[in-house]
Amino acid sequence: MKKLKVMAAAVCALALAACMLAGCSSNNASNDKKDAAATSSDKTTLIVGFDQSYPPYGFVGNDGNFTGFDLDLAAEVASRNGWDIQLEPIDWDAKDTLLNSGAITCIWNGFTMEGRENDYTFSDPYMLNAQVIVVKKGSGIESLADLAGKNVLTQTDSAAYDVLAGDEATKADLKATFASLDTIGEYNTAFMQLESGAVDAVACDLSIAQYQMSAKPDAYVQLPEDLSDEHYAVGVKKGNTELADAITKTLKEMNEDGTVEKLCEKYAEYGLSYTNWILK
């Protein structure tokens, strides 16, 4: 009987040990799953802030979805780096607040870098740009000098506005000849006002001018003198060189394998040209 009791006790002890080991194994497996989930949730998300009324770089397509050259570039960069992507249409006036708060991780939308170098960390510039003046065909305005006494319109907080009236305006003397220089939230409405005769000229990026003239070749003409020559780059939060460098590196790879040229061809009907691409 004593032997039986000893054997029973031993069996119980072994069973208890087995249960404890199984519990430990289960807990370890559970912890491993939690760690894996945490790693997965830490995946980088590229939140692209853009003006949805800025064709051909970012706009609402005929199907109601966001499209554009810069948005396609961003999607491909995210894919090649294993990042998720989120397209976030923004109020252009609020872009700095959104970027600094982390609501967006980059501004990628025909974004001129000149004059903004102290406010953002930029990728290497990828596209040539210029600030230009567009007028109605047949208006009699044929040069910058002809803008004297005229009403000019541009986008709020745009590079064109900075050239004409910003803190370091390079064309302040020209602006002084205007009857007025007003701003508006987005360029599509600006060109509607130009077409209706509510304003005499629109100051804008070359890409915007090319798009509008392609859409309505009999309505508008660009003045032969540019206001300034500039470059487009991707703006990220000041100090985030790791993200800016990763974007630059991937854009170079995309140019080398022909992806960039194909995207330029996709938007050629909007006036976009691969000859303006400068990042090699």
Side-chain angles (χ1 to χ4, degrees):
M1 181 65 74
K2 202 172 198 181
K3 237 179 201 183
L4 284 174
K5 283 183 180 178
V6 170
M7 288 177 66
V11 169
C12 287
L14 286 170
L16 181 60
C19 287
M20 289 176 69
L21 284 171
C24 288
S25 176
S26 175
N27 285 339
N28 286 337
S30 177
N31 288 336
D32 288 343
K33 285 180 181 178
K34 286 179 182 176
D35 290 342
T39 301
S40 176
S41 67
D42 288 342
K43 184 178 182 180
T44 297
T45 298
L46 188 70
I47 309 174
V48 180
F50 71 102
D51 177 352
Q52 65 178 343
S53 302
Y54 205 78
Y57 289 87
F59 61 104
V60 180
N62 293 332
D63 60 0
N65 295 320
F66 297 130
T67 188
F69 178 67
D70 275 353
L71 301 188
D72 284 359
L73 287 178
E76 183 65 18
V77 166
S79 175
R80 294 190 184 204
N81 283 281
W83 303 336
D84 289 329
I85 187 168
Q86 179 180 329
L87 303 179
E88 196 65 41
I90 62 173
D91 178 350
W92 199 244
D93 287 348
K95 63 184 180 300
D96 294 346
T97 300
L98 294 170
L99 185 64
N100 291 326
S101 70
I104 59 176
T105 52
C106 70
I107 301 170
W108 198 334
N109 192 201
F111 194 40
T112 299
M113 66 184 297
E114 280 80 5
R116 294 173 167 140
E117 294 90 342
N118 294 330
D119 301 321
Y120 309 89
T121 291
F122 282 100
S123 69
D124 286 1
Y126 60 91
M127 287 287 275
L128 283 175
N129 183 42
Q131 297 305 317
V132 302
I133 297 285
V134 177
V135 298
K136 283 182 70 174
K137 273 190 175 178
S139 67
I141 302 172
E142 299 178 354
S143 69
L144 295 180
D146 293 335
L147 293 171
K150 304 300 184 183
N151 298 307
V152 181
L153 188 61
T154 191
Q155 188 182 45
T156 304
D157 197 31
S158 64
Y161 181 83
D162 288 341
V163 168
L164 291 165
D167 293 339
E168 299 179 6
T170 58
K171 294 292 183 180
D173 290 346
L174 174 64
K175 183 257 180 185
T177 70
F178 300 166
S180 67
L181 174 65
D182 294 319
T183 60
I184 197 166
E186 46 87 18
Y187 277 120
N188 284 337
T189 306
F191 276 88
M192 289 172 61
Q193 292 202 24
L194 177 60
E195 188 172 11
S196 72
V199 298
D200 300 299
V202 172
C204 62
D205 287 31
L206 174 62
S207 58
I208 296 300
Q210 290 173 330
Y211 166 72
Q212 294 290 346
M213 290 186 297
S214 294
K216 295 187 175 181
D218 296 325
Y220 310 122
V221 62
Q222 178 186 324
L223 296 187
E225 306 151 272
D226 294 346
L227 296 174
S228 68
D229 294 322
E230 298 164 346
H231 303 85
Y232 284 158
V234 183
V236 302
K237 189 174 181 180
K238 191 71 175 175
N240 193 354
T241 55
E242 183 179 357
L243 178 57
D245 289 347
I247 290 171
T248 296
K249 179 177 179 291
T250 310
L251 286 175
K252 286 181 177 179
E253 292 169 353
M254 289 165 55
N255 182 59
E256 288 172 2
D257 65 23
T259 301
V260 168
E261 188 168 6
K262 287 180 182 177
L263 287 178
C264 288
E265 290 170 359
K266 176 180 176 180
Y267 293 97
E269 65 180 290
Y270 297 94
L272 195 144
S273 173
Y274 179 65
T275 58
N276 289 336
W277 182 269
I278 59 172
L279 185 59
K280 308 298 182 183

